[in-house]
Amino acid sequence: PVSTQKNVIHKKLKDIELHDDFVSVIATKGPVTDIKQFTRADGTSGSLRRSVIFDETSAMTLVVWDNCISLFDEVNQSPFQATKLKVKKSRFGAIELHSATDTEFLPITSTGFPQEAPIIDIHDINPEMSLVSVQGIIKSVSELREFKKSDGTTGKVISMDIQDTTGSIR
């Protein structure tokens, strides 16, 4: 059989771009959400789990779908290799990775791999980054604000201004 996927290349998280199509990465698991169950438009059921993953260069969101969830759950926080991940744009415009039907999660033994996401200078943050870790001073915090979401539910938001030695961001 002929694969319809483009070549899968290994990349560091900070080097992943939308045109990459499919990538393989070596990363560590960060926070993981509960499994979300849903019904697709065609009536079939599905499930997904989101996780933050990171390497020494960056952090990124990984969306794990359906049967891949159990494979992902078997990998602990230590470094793992994920093969054949689809590169997609999130609804917020950031790059994120999604499992495909033939994605594999393989534990690896590696020394010196970071156990925490790297700290990024504020001036290095750009709109394509979906997740970053920063260290700085909180300069101001807004009041809690409630708003109506498009689905009719109420949301809550607080914003803050953070500053490090390279700049500030809201």
Side-chain angles (χ1 to χ4, degrees), residues 1 3 5-6 13 18 25 29 37 50 55 60 62 67 73 81 96 101 113 119 129 149 155 159-161 165 167:
S3 173
Q5 296 178 1
K6 293 181 179 179
L13 294 178
L18 280 173
V25 298
K29 254 190 219 183
Q37 305 286 343
R50 292 179 184 276
D55 64 13
M60 189 170 284
L62 170 66
N67 295 337
D73 288 348
Q81 180 172 7
E96 61 185 20
T101 55
F113 205 82
I119 303 294
M129 297 173 154
K149 296 181 183 179
S159 62
M160 66 178 73
D161 292 306
T165 58

Side-chain angles (χ1 to χ4, degrees), residues 46-65:
S47 55
L48 68 84
R49 169 171 268 164
R50 292 179 184 276
S51 177
V52 173
I53 61 170
F54 59 89
D55 64 13
E56 68 276 11
T57 66
S58 189
M60 189 170 284
T61 299
L62 170 66
V63 182
V64 185
W65 295 91

Side-chain angles (χ1 to χ4, degrees), residues 73-166:
D73 288 348
E74 290 175 13
V75 177
N76 60 21
Q77 303 320 92
S78 64
F80 64 93
Q81 180 172 7
T83 62
K84 301 175 188 168
L85 295 171
K86 176 74 176 153
V87 178
K88 291 190 172 188
K89 191 176 206 176
S90 76
R91 64 183 172 153
F92 302 110
I95 294 173
E96 61 185 20
L97 301 174
H98 289 244
S99 68
T101 55
D102 54 351
T103 296
E104 295 179 311
F105 297 100
L106 309 165
I108 62 170
T109 304
S110 175
T111 58
F113 205 82
Q115 295 302 308
E116 295 181 8
I119 303 294
I120 305 292
D121 288 337
I122 288 176
H123 81 275
D124 291 333
I125 296 172
N126 68 62
E128 294 176 345
M129 297 173 154
S130 59
L131 299 166
V132 295
S133 293
V134 297
Q135 184 173 346
I137 298 169
I138 298 173
K139 299 300 281 184
S140 65
V141 179
S142 73
E143 295 291 322
L144 175 67
R145 185 175 63 88
E146 292 188 3
F147 62 95
K148 287 287 185 191
K149 296 181 183 179
S150 60
D151 65 3
T153 62
T154 301
K156 297 178 182 181
V157 66
I158 291 178
S159 62
M160 66 178 73
D161 292 306
I162 302 172
Q163 179 179 339
D164 70 8
T165 58
T166 68

